[in-house]
């Protein structure tokens, strides 16, 4: 692996058809913004084509703008949030790192320079610092040979530097070195761009600067820490091109210059050139965030939004500010040669050749030195520097060319964290809202911003818009805020409605939802009040309100009926009274039914036709209820890898629905039967997904997560689900994969033996009659059979199970049907309660003493009065079987046995460990 192998994709594959999309149910195709907290890269090699690399969550965005169209190519290669990006001097190889999981090296020219394919991750280093902390910074050497990473736990063990010759493919670093603990965490790493010194680098830390070098012959890292001079809060450090100096900038507006130490001027080849403090300059009263050296000039960007240009001796040459003063966070220069004006060729003496006649339409050639701005020196020399890109703290990107005095804003703005979004029901349109109250409408076909609106919200957390909803007809857009304001927007023009904003509550509006005919709007606030609004001409008027439970999710059954689920484990149905002659409330509760015993519902989905309601809970189950009576129909096992299902959304016109968990996005095939091969997922966010919407016009899903400045667009592909089901097998084959050992394991053989043993048990025998074994079990025996094989259900769960078996219309169930019931109803963990679970339960009900023992007398009394009451006689009988030693003392005394169930003969205490072991 000493050389890079060129990647040549198959030519028959179309540009829009990626191999990842053919293998995955969801493929990231577009992102509406980027993360401004991560410095971007300008990898443009031509002045006519802008190419940038940005970060958004755990994805990298390769951005291209040719003057007419913007193109974004997102790629995912990280598990956590991307925190650093770097590249070599050619811009071909890009390195990225996340917080702690991996470092990736990407080849931007995979398949040829003009290829339209995604960049390829050609090298991945997993967990470079193992359990010793996070990745702080990464950098590639200018020639692209070496990869340097810094990280660790700075406060305890000190930060570490590790270097890889990444093209060789070693999993372990070539060398590593530990930095002093007093310097703090690593902020940035830069290699020296000058030829002959490309093995030298500088590391910027919180409280200092470290200079280092890599010796290729000795295969050794060496560092040098200059003497301390009282400066703190370093932000960035770079080598000054074509000099032996380096310059650092700090949060106090200081510039610190370093020069070669004259005492150690004769450094060994490949060793670190020792630096010493030269001088410091107080340049600003604001923080200087970034410094770069390019075209023999030093460029800085600060919190005042000012970009300054200095010469290599730190003499001021030129400066300018943006119209909107925003802190500068990134400066990145093009990878092109410096523009120079060439002197016209003088005629050679003795050349008798007559000059050619010049065309009358000769193009006027501009002299760059004439149009370039002049510096502030007495000579007024032109300031010539290549174009660069600057990014501000608020997420704006500017392409700047000071020679031609051009400033152009690039890319989609990401000024603040996304707080809400929704998709249009009929058009390919997406609307987002951020923490500053800015509504932005995107055209999903062209993937460009179409309209924008700045809502005058309060610039506090109390004024943020937290929920957004389009009406089914698409002519209305409603947004609820934390201060109780309801903003009504006309999405076609992106203007506020005449009566906007409405305020009918001072509490946070948690949810807004239009009725199916778009005539009513339901709002739910933090005080658990449902407010109903009705549209009258161009205004929305409050019709009435209704107090309800702590609502979790809401959905309409029809134009006038809607249903909700709440944290009180109830499902509630409401109706809207539209007849003005009736003296009734505008909205009222017509039905309440408890749907859970110990689990909390997390989301609901009304299936097509409105006759069935699908509910997900936090115990990783899907439950199907009747749309009118709320009777339970079925219970199914939900995905159990990443938390409960949330935001259930059906793909219109297809037998699929989508949902999210903490980090994953799932596509599930209908109908649900508990088959684990009927759903597939992709990792959608490194922290936590917050919302999901589906747009049927482009057949895509849209998500955003915690801390995101953008909404992600995922192309839906159901083909992998078909392939998954095709190879999963039939009958019990896919279900037995959930059991230890699979279909042919000892566990399945044991429960099958118990299934037939139930038919020959004494209660099923009739004297000397001949017994006939069959693959069927009486539905009355199923609950106890499930308890015998490991599912210890409560009485409430047994009632639900019996109701589901009644719907089958038969009195006998086959082994396949019983096993499916077992797998769908049992706990997601798949096993009986552990000893720790028993200890927790007994302590919680109060049956233990101060010495840590279980009082059987108190336990029998509590079980007869708490929860699902048990008969005292039954409880005592179980205790006599499990703990016979507790009853032996009174029986040996010959005293008359007390009345059963009183617990008077249970005089001994049982150690809690012994009690838990017996029950398990």
């Amino acid at each position: 692996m000493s050389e890079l192998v060129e990647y040549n994709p198959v030519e028959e594959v179309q540009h829009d058809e990626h191999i990842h999309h053919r293998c995955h149910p969801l493929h990231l195709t577009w992102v509406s913004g980027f993360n401004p907290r991560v410095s971007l890269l300008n990898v443009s090699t031509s002045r006519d084509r802008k190419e940038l690399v940005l970060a958004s969550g755990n994805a990298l965005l390769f951005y291209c703008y040719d003057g007419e169209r913007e193109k974004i190519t997102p790629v995912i290669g990280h598990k956590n949030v991307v925190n650093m990006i770097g590249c070599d001097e050619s811009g071909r190889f890009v390195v990225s790192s996340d917080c702690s999981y991996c470092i990736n090296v990407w080849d931007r020219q995979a398949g040829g320079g003009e290829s339209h394919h995604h960049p390829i991750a050609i090298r991945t280093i997993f967990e470079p610092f193992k359990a010793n902390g996070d990745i702080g910074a990464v950098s590639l050497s200018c020639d692209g040979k070496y990869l340097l990473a810094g990280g660790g736990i700075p406060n305890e063990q000190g930060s570490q530097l590790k270097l890889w010759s990444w093209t060789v493919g070693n999993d372990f670093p070539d060398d590593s070195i530990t930095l002093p603990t007093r310097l703090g965490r690593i902020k940035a790493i830069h290699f020296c761009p000058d030829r002959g010194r490309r093995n030298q680098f500088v590391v910027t830390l919180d409280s200092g600067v470290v200079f280092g070098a890599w010796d290729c012959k000795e295969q050794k890292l060496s560092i040098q820490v200059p003497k301390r001079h009282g400066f703190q809060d370093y932000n960035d450090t770079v080598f000054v091109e074509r000099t032996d100096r380096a310059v650092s900038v700090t949060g106090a507006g200081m510039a610190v210059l370093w020069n070669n130490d004259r005492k150690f001027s004769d450094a060994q080849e490949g060793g670190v050139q020792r630096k010493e403090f030269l001088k410091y300059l107080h340049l600003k009263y604001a923080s200087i965030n970034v410094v770069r050296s390019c075209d023999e000039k030093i460029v800085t960007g600060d919190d005042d939004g000012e970009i300054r240009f200095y010469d290599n001796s730190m003499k001021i040459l030129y400066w300018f500010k943006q119209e909107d003063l925003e802190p500068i966070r990134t400066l990145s220069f093009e990878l092109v040669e410096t523009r120079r004006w060439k002197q016209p060729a003088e005629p050679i003496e003795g050349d008798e050749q007559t000059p050619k006649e010049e065309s009358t339409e000769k193009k006027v050639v501009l002299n760059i030195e004439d149009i370039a701005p002049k510096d502030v020196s007495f000579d007024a020399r032109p300031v010539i520097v290549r174009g660069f890109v600057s990014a501000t703290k608020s997420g704006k990107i500017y392409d700047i060319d000071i020679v031609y005095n051009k400033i152009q804003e690039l890319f989609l703005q990401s000024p603040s964290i996304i707080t809400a979004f929704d998709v249009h029901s009929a058009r390919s349109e997406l609307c987002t809202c951020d923490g500053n109250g800015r509504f932005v409408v995107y055209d999903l076909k062209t993937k460009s911003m179409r309209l924008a609106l700045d809502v005058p919200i309060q610039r506090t957390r109390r004024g943020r818009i937290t929920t957004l909803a389009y009406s089914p007809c698409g002519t209305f857009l409603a947004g609820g805020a934390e201060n109780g304001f309801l903003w009504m927007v006309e999405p076609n023009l992106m203007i506020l409605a005449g009566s906007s904003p409405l305020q009918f509550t001072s509490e946070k509006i948690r949810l807004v939802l239009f009725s199916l005919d778009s005539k009513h709007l339901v709002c739910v606030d933090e005080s658990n009040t449902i407010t109903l609004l009705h549209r009258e001409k161009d205004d929305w008027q409050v019709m009435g309100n209704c107090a309800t439970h702590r609502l979790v999710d809401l959905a309409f059954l029809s134009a006038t009926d809607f249903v909700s689920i709440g944290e009180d484990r109830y499902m509630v149905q409401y109706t809207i009274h539209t007849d003005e002659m009736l003296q009734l409330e505008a909205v009222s509760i017509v039905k309440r039914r408890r749907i859970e015993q110990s689990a909390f519902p997390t989301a609901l989905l009304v299936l097509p036709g409105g006759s069935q309601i699908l509910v997900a809970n936090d115990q990783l189950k899907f439950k199907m209820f009747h749309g009118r009576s709320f009777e339970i129909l079925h219970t199914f096992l939900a995905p159990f890898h990443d938390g409960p299902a949330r935001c259930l959304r059906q793909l219109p016109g297809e037998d699929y629905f989508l949902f999210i968990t903490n980090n994953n996005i799932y596509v599930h095939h209908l109908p649900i039967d508990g088959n684990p091969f009927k759903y597939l997922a992709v990792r959608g966010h490194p922290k936590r997904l917050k919302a999901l919407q589906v747009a049927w016009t482009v057949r895509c899903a849209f998500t955003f997560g915690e801390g995101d400045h953008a909404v992600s667009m995922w192309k839906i592909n159901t083909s992998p689900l078909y392939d998954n089901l095709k190879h999963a097998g039939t009958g019990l084959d896919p279900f037995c994969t959930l059991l230890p050992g699979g279909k042919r394991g000892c566990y399945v053989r044991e429960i099958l033996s118990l299934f037939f043993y139930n038919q020959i048990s004494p209660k099923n025998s009739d004297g000397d009659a001949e017994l006939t074994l069959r693959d069927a079990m009486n539905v009355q025996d199923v609950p106890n059979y499930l308890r015998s094989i490991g599912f210890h259900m409560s009485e409430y769960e047994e009632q639900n199970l019996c109701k589901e078996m009644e719907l089958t219309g038969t009195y006998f169930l086959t082994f396949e049907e019983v096993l499916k019931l077992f797998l769908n109803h049992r706990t997601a963990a798949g096993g009986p309660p552990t000893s720790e679970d028993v200890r927790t339960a007994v302590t919680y009900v109060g049956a233990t003493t101060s010495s840590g023992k279980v009082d059987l007398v108190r336990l029998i009394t509590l079980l007869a009065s708490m929860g699902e009451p048990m008969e005292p006689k039954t409880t005592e009988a179980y205790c006599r079987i499990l703990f016979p030693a507790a009853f032996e003392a009174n029986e040996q005394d010959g005293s008359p046995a007390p009345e059963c169930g009183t617990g008077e003969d249970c005089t001994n205490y049982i150690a809690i460990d012994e009690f838990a072991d017996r029950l398990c």
Side-chain angles (χ1 to χ4, degrees), residues 34 144 236 444 517 530 601 611:
F34 72 103
D236 202 3
L444 298 179
D517 56 3
I530 294 179
S611 60

Side-chain angles (χ1 to χ4, degrees), residues 568-596:
D568 59 350
R569 304 183 178 96
Y570 275 83
M571 183 183 292
V572 182
Q573 183 180 351
Y574 313 82
T575 187
I576 300 173
H577 303 287
T578 58
D579 193 346
E580 297 179 356
M581 300 300 295
L582 295 176
Q583 299 298 321
L584 297 174
E585 294 288 339
V587 57
S588 61
I589 296 175
V590 296
K591 188 183 301 180
R592 296 180 74 250
R593 188 180 184 90
R594 185 171 184 176
I595 60 174
E596 297 288 353

Side-chain angles (χ1 to χ4, degrees), residues 234-252:
Y234 286 88
N235 286 332
D236 202 3
T237 306
V238 293
F239 288 98
V240 180
E241 293 181 347
R242 301 180 183 179
T243 68
D244 55 4
R245 293 183 179 180
V247 58
S248 303
V249 292
T250 71

Side-chain angles (χ1 to χ4, degrees), residues 298-299 307-310 315-318 320 385 388 402:
I298 299 173
V299 189
I307 299 177
R308 291 190 174 189
F309 297 82
Y310 303 85
K315 295 179 181 179
I316 185 70
L317 299 177
Y318 185 72
F320 72 93
V385 68
F388 62 94
I402 65 170

